[in-house]
């Protein structure tokens, strides 16, 4: 295994996570020896698989709340502002040689944009979709403007952020993703009951003393973190799909919130692993393949849900049929 070069000011802080990545690579090499799968022999794919597995948990974890709150499109808005954050990072690195990962600037800009969406909705009485449209347009406009100012240096490197790229998941970016993963999972675990209450009945939650505005902001900021994390392999254009499609598929086969959450994580992990495998062997873009696999799984879930409903209807006798049978017996 190649040692990690100390080229970033964050390397000393991320050193323990680099050790985790080394252990993960050792495990992947062991699997390669046992299975002979070609994609397991490359360290960059080890990192991509780990990032994908984390995304498969984070995206449905947050997406389940968003879908039930009818905020499915907020992922798109934050993805476009995260694109602006990447452009800011690339621009600063090109102009003043800042040496900071564009993903860090994307995190900052996306979280500010998430708060801006909430502030616009609260202060102008605009619907959420209006504030999302404003932030989306502003973010993408800022990103394209910065790219056009320094087109020669930024236009080439920006494609990996637009469409995602397995080979560009660096140790630093993978370590940052692990930090985001811990923050998101821990926050949801600690605030699950409050988030659930706010999701299904904001009015009752406010009456019971829960600070609804605060938890709304927590949710959009967590969404921003998921978007930035998933952007590494999904790209800006497709990142929102992982927040919605697995959750929509899970809703077809289960009715409870917790059941939907667990099933959506399973479906997302299947989509990620199958998508990365197909993308590697077919030489295709991973983000697009993952989304296509997720949509295919969604279609299968819809069919399974229809079959489940039909079987349930057949097994449940109607009251009228029971009464008619009893009357004939009596006669």
């Amino acid at each position: 295994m190649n040692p990690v070069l100390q080229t970033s000011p964050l390397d000393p802080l991320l050193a323990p996570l680099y050790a985790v990545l080394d252990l993960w690579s050792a495990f992947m090499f062991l699997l390669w020896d046992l299975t002979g799968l070609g994609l397991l022999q490359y360290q960059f794919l080890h990192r991509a698989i780990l990032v994908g597995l984390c995304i498969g948990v984070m995206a449905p974890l947050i997406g389940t709340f968003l879908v039930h709150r009818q905020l499915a499109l907020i992922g798109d808005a934050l993805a476009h502002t995260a694109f602006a954050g990447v452009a800011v990072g690339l621009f600063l690195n090109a102009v003043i040689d800042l040496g900071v990962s564009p993903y860090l600037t994307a995190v900052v800009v996306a979280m500010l944009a998430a708060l801006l969406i909430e502030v616009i909705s609260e202060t102008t009485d605009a619907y959420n979709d209006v504030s999302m449209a404003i932030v989306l347009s502003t973010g993408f406009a800022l990103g394209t403007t910065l790219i056009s100012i320094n087109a020669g240096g930024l236009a080439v490197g920006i494609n990996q952020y637009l469409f995602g790229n397995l080979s560009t998941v660096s140790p630093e970016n993978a370590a940052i993703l692990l930090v985001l993963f811990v923050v998101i999972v821990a926050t949801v675990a600690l605030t699950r009951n409050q988030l659930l209450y706010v999701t299904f009945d904001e009015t009752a939650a406010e009456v019971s003393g829960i600070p609804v505005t605060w938890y709304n902001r927590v949710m959009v900021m967590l969404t921003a973190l998921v978007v930035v994390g998933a952007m590494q392999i999904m790209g800006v254009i497709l990142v929102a799909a992982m927040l919605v499609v697995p959750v929509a598929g899970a809703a077809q086969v289960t009715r409870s919130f917790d059941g939907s959450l667990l099933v959506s994580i399973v479906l997302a992990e299947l989509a990620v692993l199958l998508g990365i495998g197909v993308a590697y062997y077919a030489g295709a873009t991973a983000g697009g393949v993952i989304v296509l696999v997720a949509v295919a799984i969604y279609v299968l879930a819809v069919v399974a849900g229809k079959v489940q409903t039909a079987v349930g209807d057949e097994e449940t006798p109607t009251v009228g049929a029971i009464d008619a049978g009893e009357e004939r017996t009596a006669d």
Side-chain angles (χ1 to χ4, degrees):
M1 287 174 283
N2 296 325
V4 177
L5 297 177
Q6 299 289 318
T7 58
S8 168
L10 292 176
D11 282 345
L13 294 175
L14 298 177
L17 294 175
Y18 291 148
V20 172
L21 293 177
D22 286 338
L23 290 174
W24 175 256
S25 283
F27 176 65
M28 289 289 100
F29 280 128
L30 178 61
L31 285 183
W32 175 41
D33 290 336
L34 295 175
T35 63
L37 289 174
L39 78 166
L40 297 180
Q41 63 183 307
Y42 303 107
Q43 276 194 306
F44 75 89
L45 280 175
H46 298 169
R47 295 191 293 270
I49 291 171
L50 179 60
V51 167
L53 291 174
C54 291
I55 293 168
V57 174
M58 294 189 306
L61 186 62
I62 300 302
T64 303
F65 289 97
L66 296 179
V67 169
H68 283 88
R69 300 181 68 176
Q70 299 181 343
L71 290 174
L73 291 180
I74 193 172
D76 252 340
L78 294 178
H80 285 74
T81 56
F83 166 76
V86 168
V88 168
L90 292 174
F91 182 81
L92 292 176
N93 288 340
V95 174
I96 62 175
D97 194 21
L98 190 62
V100 173
S101 170
Y103 283 110
L104 283 180
T105 54
V107 168
V108 174
V109 173
M111 291 186 71
L112 291 175
L115 291 175
L116 184 60
I117 288 174
E118 284 296 308
V119 170
I120 292 175
S121 297
E122 293 165 7
T123 57
T124 65
D125 294 327
Y127 291 110
N128 272 327
D129 58 346
V130 174
S131 59
M132 284 188 281
I134 293 171
V135 171
L136 183 153
S137 304
T138 304
F140 207 65
L142 175 60
T144 54
T145 300
L146 291 176
I147 291 170
S148 65
I149 291 175
N150 191 9
L154 303 187
V156 176
I158 204 67
N159 282 340
Q160 70 186 60
Y161 301 101
L162 284 174
F163 304 106
N165 194 326
L166 295 178
S167 63
T168 58
V169 181
S170 67
E172 181 184 18
N173 292 338
I176 292 172
L177 186 279
L178 291 177
V179 173
L180 298 182
F181 176 80
V182 172
V183 170
I184 291 167
V185 173
T187 303
V188 173
L190 292 173
T191 62
R192 175 192 176 277
N193 292 337
Q194 292 87 341
L195 292 176
L196 199 59
Y197 205 172
V198 172
T199 295
F200 287 101
D201 197 335
E202 278 195 7
T203 303
E206 195 164 7
V207 170
S208 66
I210 294 176
V212 172
T213 300
W214 165 254
Y215 283 105
N216 283 337
R217 292 178 180 178
V218 168
M219 179 53 59
V220 294
M221 286 192 292
L222 291 176
T223 306
L225 295 181
V226 172
V227 165
V228 174
M231 190 171 61
Q232 298 189 56
I233 63 174
M234 300 300 301
V236 167
I237 298 175
L238 297 172
V239 66
M242 292 305 291
L243 287 165
V244 178
V245 178
V247 178
Q252 303 301 314
V253 295
T254 183
R255 294 293 175 262
S256 70
F257 184 87
D258 289 337
S260 176
L261 179 58
L262 292 175
V263 172
S264 64
I265 290 175
V266 172
L267 298 184
E269 297 291 13
L270 282 174
V272 167
L273 293 176
L274 291 175
I276 290 177
V278 172
Y280 170 77
Y281 288 108
T285 302
V289 176
I290 291 172
V291 172
L292 290 176
V293 173
V295 172
I297 293 174
Y298 167 74
V299 173
L300 293 176
V302 171
V303 173
K306 297 297 183 184
V307 172
Q308 185 181 35
T309 301
V311 171
D313 291 341
E314 289 178 0
E315 292 179 350
T316 305
T318 62
V319 174
I322 295 173
D323 291 341
E326 290 176 350
E327 289 174 2
R328 283 195 297 271
T329 303
D331 293 340

